[in-house]
Amino acid sequence: MRKPGIGEPNLGAIVGVVVGAVGGLVALAMPLAIMCGDIRVLSEARTLGLVGFLVSSIVGWFLGGQIAPRLEGRLSERNAGIAGGILGGLVPVAGFAWWGLYLATPG
């Protein structure tokens, strides 16, 4: 198991930033739109989507870059990079989706 430096570029970091960016863009507004039953909420929450995009991109880069090399013992280097990047990108996306669900629930 190789321990990469913080922020070191690798396949896991690149996949993590792509998954985090795309998911973070809609992760906060999507539960709001579903719970409200109105598609216009997606455009009304564009500032929150931009925050989700930026934060999820950065967190996905760091987590994907750290998780992927640790999976190389079980998977090939390429597969570990892809799997680690997906996991690293989905962590902040899941957090923003949970926050969006929390904002959408009344009370």
Side-chain angles (χ1 to χ4, degrees), residues 15 67-68 71 75 78-88:
V15 172
I67 293 172
L71 293 176
L75 302 170
R78 183 175 148 257
N79 290 341
I82 293 170
I86 290 172
L87 289 174

Side-chain angles (χ1 to χ4, degrees), residues 1-2 66-84 87:
M1 174 177 73
R2 183 177 70 85
Q66 293 297 311
I67 293 172
R70 288 169 171 79
L71 293 176
E72 287 178 5
R74 295 190 176 115
L75 302 170
S76 67
E77 183 178 351
R78 183 175 148 257
N79 290 341
I82 293 170
L87 289 174

Side-chain angles (χ1 to χ4, degrees), residues 39-104:
I39 193 80
R40 289 178 283 170
V41 175
L42 288 174
S43 65
E44 292 171 1
R46 65 181 167 259
T47 304
L48 295 174
L50 183 61
V51 170
F53 172 81
L54 294 173
V55 171
S56 295
S57 298
I58 294 168
V59 173
W61 174 270
F62 287 110
L63 285 180
Q66 293 297 311
I67 293 172
R70 288 169 171 79
L71 293 176
E72 287 178 5
R74 295 190 176 115
L75 302 170
S76 67
E77 183 178 351
R78 183 175 148 257
N79 290 341
I82 293 170
I86 290 172
L87 289 174
L90 284 180
V91 168
V93 170
F96 276 107
W98 178 81
W99 187 30
L101 188 60
Y102 175 76
L103 290 176

